[in-house]
């Protein structure tokens, strides 16, 4: 049985009906749709558009539908097009004709806009909690390996020794920005569109501030046409998710490289690696490869929604229905990626000896040698050139920098004294760093402590 068709002389073609319904996506919106309707009914009763008794009956009917949904007993009927009409029809079956008053002063246009806002807000909360969870896992890794030194890279070339913990903290810093972006997006999402109606508002004496307050939303819309057509919050959510996915992908890529036999800096747990169907020795990092691999689909959904929005004439257009699946898919994928990353981090072992050995490469100490000369008054550029020439000499003569005699070192910097050899210990190098935010050991310890106390 199709609904809302008294003005029509024909049923909607079944194939067209299949094409326009959004039952699949709306599964994810049942709870928020009911929550929105309860707030709306409560407001209608508060302003006298429903009697107290009618309001109470509608609310308890909606609560009953919510209970049915939680028990898996509320099955959406595609013939009713969407979750809104399904709930209304079920309410009518449960409480009778009072259900016909629920949609007073409301359109599915402001209703679906509200549903999407409540849905995105709930997903932002979930994502924020999972970001904190991943950050805690990163810091746990850092603390467990607090004084392990490794090569820091630029251009994937050995650059300067850093603490492994400092590298873990770099990812925490990225995720901090993601957290803030989601939090900021939530502010613009937490605006109630209820009361916009189809697009012009209503002549009925409603109270949009009241229904917003019922939902814990601090703001209501400014313009009714914009309220029903605004999906900026979905785009913002997808952008924040895209950038968070970039960071997870970079983390995944970094771990994949470190776990390769060429680096052998870390080992991934057997519970987070998969086997090869052919090569018995393989333990592959498939889970984090998929964290990296699913990122493309997240970007795709961002472009999807931006493209959907760009061609729309002012007002509600049914195209907006297509903004639901991207939000639902990205929320689910991002949450699973965050969960998987936390599990991988909790099951990661640092191969300390390999990291330290690589960190002991004396070539990475050349910057420290330059700073040594700078501290003795040599102009930076001149010191840089002297040490470049020194490094070139070591390379040409096939010697390690730290094996050169003091006499030889003095040829390239007369200020060098025997204490220069201490610098070739990477632990000394990281201990010596004192600038804010650097890999200085004391600073990294303090940061780990600060993060652990959050
Ligand atoms: N299912 C629709 C959506 O998701 C609800 C709004 C329908 N409004 C309309 N004017 N046909 O956007």
């Amino acid at each position: 049985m199709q609904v809302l068709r008294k003005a029509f002389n024909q049923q909607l073609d079944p194939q067209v009906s299949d094409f326009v319904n959004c039952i699949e996506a709306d599964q994810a919106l049942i709870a928020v749709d009911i929550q929105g309707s309860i707030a709306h009914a409560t407001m209608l009763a508060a302003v006298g558009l429903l009697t107290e008794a009618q309001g109470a009956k509608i609310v308890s009917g909606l609560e009953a539908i919510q209970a049915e949904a939680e028990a898996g007993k509320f099955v959406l009927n595609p013939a009713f097009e969407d979750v809104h009409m399904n709930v209304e029809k079920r309410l009518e079956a449960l409480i009778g004709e009072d259900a016909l008053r629920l949609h007073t002063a409301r359109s599915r246009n402001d209703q679906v806009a509200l549903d999407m806002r409540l849905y995105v807000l709930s997903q932002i909360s979930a994502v924020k909690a999972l970001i904190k969870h991943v950050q805690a896992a990163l810091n746990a890794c850092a603390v467990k390996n607090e004084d392990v030194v490794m090569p820091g890279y630029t251009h994937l070339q050995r650059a300067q020794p850093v603490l492994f913990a400092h590298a873990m903290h770099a990812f925490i810093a990225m995720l901090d920005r993601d957290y803030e972006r989601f939090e900021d997006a939530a502010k613009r999402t937490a605006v109630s569109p209820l009361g916009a109606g189809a697009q012009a508002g209503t002549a009925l004496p409603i109270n949009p501030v009241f229904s917003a307050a019922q939902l814990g939303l601090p703001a209501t819309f400014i313009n009714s046409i914009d309220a029903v057509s605004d999906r900026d919050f979905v785009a913002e959510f997808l952008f924040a998710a895209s950038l968070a996915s970039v960071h997870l992908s970079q983390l995944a890529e970094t771990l994949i490289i470190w776990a390769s036999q060429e680096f052998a800096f870390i080992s991934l747990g057997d519970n987070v690696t998969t086997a090869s169907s052919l090569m018995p020795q393989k333990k592959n990092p498939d889970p984090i490869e998929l964290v990296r691999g699913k990122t493309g689909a997240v970007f795709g959904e961002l472009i999807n929604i931006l493209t959907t929005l760009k061609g729309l004439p002012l007002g509600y257009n049914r195209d907006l229905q297509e903004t639901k699946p991207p939000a639902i898919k990205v929320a689910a994928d991002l949450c699973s990626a965050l969960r998987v990353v936390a599990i991988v981090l909790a099951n990661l072992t640092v191969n300390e000896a390999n990291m330290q050995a690589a960190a002991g490469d004396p070539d990475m100490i050349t910057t420290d040698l330059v700073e040594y000369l700078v501290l003795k008054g040599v102009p930076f550029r001149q010191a840089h050139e002297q040490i470049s020439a020194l490094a070139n000499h070591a390379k040409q003569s096939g010697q390690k920098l730290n094996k050169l005699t003091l006499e030889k070192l003095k040829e390239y910097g007369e200020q060098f004294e025997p204490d220069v050899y201490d610098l070739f210990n990477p632990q000394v190098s990281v201990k010596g760093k004192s600038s804010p935010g650097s890999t200085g050991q004391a600073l990294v310890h303090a940061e780990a402590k600060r993060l652990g106390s959050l």
Side-chain angles (χ1 to χ4, degrees):
M1 195 230 345
Q2 296 180 347
V3 287
L4 305 173
R5 297 195 65 82
K6 287 283 179 337
F8 297 77
N9 297 317
Q10 281 182 302
Q11 288 290 290
L12 190 61
D13 179 281
Q15 292 188 63
V16 173
S17 166
D18 277 352
F19 185 69
V20 299
N21 87 58
C22 52
I23 291 305
E24 215 181 301
D26 281 7
Q27 295 292 345
L29 302 180
I30 295 172
V32 288
D33 191 75
I34 292 172
Q35 192 192 347
S37 284
I38 289 175
H40 182 65
T42 310
M43 180 279 291
L44 291 177
V47 299
L49 284 166
L50 291 178
T51 64
E52 285 287 316
Q54 288 164 340
K57 205 165 162 193
I58 290 175
V59 169
S60 63
L62 289 166
E63 285 167 352
I65 301 173
Q66 176 57 24
E68 288 177 358
E70 280 163 21
K73 287 185 190 139
F74 178 51
V75 181
L76 299 185
N77 180 352
F80 296 160
E81 213 172 297
D82 52 33
V83 64
H84 323 301
M85 293 316 298
N86 268 276
V87 170
E88 192 174 312
K89 282 284 157 200
R90 181 68 191 136
L91 189 65
E92 191 181 347
L94 285 177
I95 68 163
E97 68 173 13
D98 283 337
L100 308 181
R101 297 178 186 276
L102 171 61
H103 212 51
T104 305
R106 187 174 68 171
S107 156
R108 284 184 294 168
N109 297 353
D110 54 349
Q111 189 177 1
V112 71
L114 175 70
D115 287 7
M116 281 305 287
R117 284 175 183 273
L118 294 177
Y119 175 78
V120 169
L121 283 172
S122 74
Q123 296 309 306
I124 287 179
S125 297
V127 167
K128 276 168 56 190
L130 285 166
I131 287 177
K132 290 271 178 226
H133 182 51
V134 171
Q135 289 180 313
L138 284 161
N139 198 42
C141 257
V143 169
K144 205 156 99 191
N145 304 282
E146 202 164 45
D147 294 320
V148 177
V149 188
M150 66 180 299
Y153 294 85
T154 66
H155 315 270
L156 200 57
Q157 304 281 320
R158 283 184 186 168
Q160 293 165 287
V162 293
L163 285 168
F164 168 77
H166 196 50
M168 293 295 99
H169 290 168
F171 289 110
I172 294 180
M174 297 175 205
L175 290 170
D176 267 344
R177 294 193 295 277
D178 292 320
Y179 189 95
E180 280 176 23
R181 251 183 297 277
F182 281 111
E183 208 162 47
D184 191 52
K187 283 183 213 148
R188 280 176 297 280
T189 309
V191 177
S192 174
L194 275 188
Q199 49 93 47
T202 175
L204 297 170
I206 58 166
N207 185 345
V209 173
F210 183 99
S211 32
Q214 290 289 300
L215 293 161
L217 299 176
T220 56
F221 62 93
I222 300 286
N223 179 293
S224 59
I225 305 175
D226 180 52
V228 294
S229 53
D230 174 12
R231 294 294 184 278
D232 291 3
F233 63 97
V234 183
E236 283 195 54
F237 173 65
L238 295 189
F239 174 69
S242 294
L243 207 41
S245 300
V246 167
H247 297 144
L248 293 183
S249 184
Q250 290 177 342
L251 171 59
E253 170 67 358
T254 301
L255 297 181
I256 289 164
I257 290 178
W258 288 355
S260 70
Q261 285 75 14
E262 278 63 26
F263 277 72
F265 283 174
I266 58 168
S267 304
L268 300 171
D270 278 5
N271 57 346
V272 294
T273 43
T274 55
S276 158
S277 62
L278 173 65
M279 298 165 284
Q281 88 283 14
K282 295 299 289 294
K283 284 183 180 173
N284 294 324
D286 297 34
I288 39 178
E289 287 177 285
L290 282 167
V291 166
R292 187 180 58 189
K294 284 175 187 278
T295 302
V298 175
F299 299 170
E301 297 300 358
L302 172 63
I303 296 300
N304 177 351
I305 179 162
L306 292 174
T307 311
T308 298
L309 296 179
K310 86 170 188 62
L312 298 184
L314 185 62
Y316 174 86
N317 296 274
R318 191 63 177 262
D319 315 44
L320 292 174
Q321 183 170 288
E322 291 301 303
T323 64
K324 294 192 246 186
I328 295 166
K329 180 178 163 36
V330 165
D333 283 353
L334 179 59
C335 286
S336 349
L338 286 163
R339 281 190 205 98
V340 166
V341 165
I343 297 170
V344 169
L345 289 167
N347 292 281
L348 171 162
T349 317
V350 165
N351 303 332
E352 195 175 333
N354 290 347
M355 272 194 188
Q356 310 264 29
D361 177 353
D363 280 354
M364 283 195 296
I365 302 302
T366 51
T367 311
D368 300 64
L369 297 181
V370 171
E371 289 188 352
Y372 181 100
L373 293 180
V374 165
L375 279 174
K376 302 233 168 181
V378 181
F380 171 82
R381 182 55 60 216
Q382 191 183 320
H384 183 272
E385 280 177 8
Q386 286 169 211
I387 300 302
S388 299
L390 172 66
N392 191 30
H393 163 77
K395 198 165 179 205
Q396 297 301 324
S397 61
Q399 283 171 288
K400 291 280 177 201
L401 272 174
N402 57 339
K403 297 292 178 225
L404 295 175
T405 61
L406 185 59
E407 209 180 0
K408 186 48 88 185
L409 291 181
K410 276 181 177 291
E411 280 178 30
Y412 294 88
E414 60 188 31
Q415 298 80 354
F416 281 130
E417 299 297 341
D419 65 346
V420 66
Y421 290 101
D422 298 343
L423 286 180
F424 288 104
N425 178 348
Q427 298 284 356
V428 171
S429 173
V430 295
K431 271 205 186 97
K433 300 284 181 292
S434 55
S435 59
S438 72
T439 194
Q441 195 174 34
L443 292 155
V444 174
H445 283 185
E447 178 63 357
K449 211 162 160 204
R450 185 189 73 81
L451 291 164
S453 67
L454 292 179

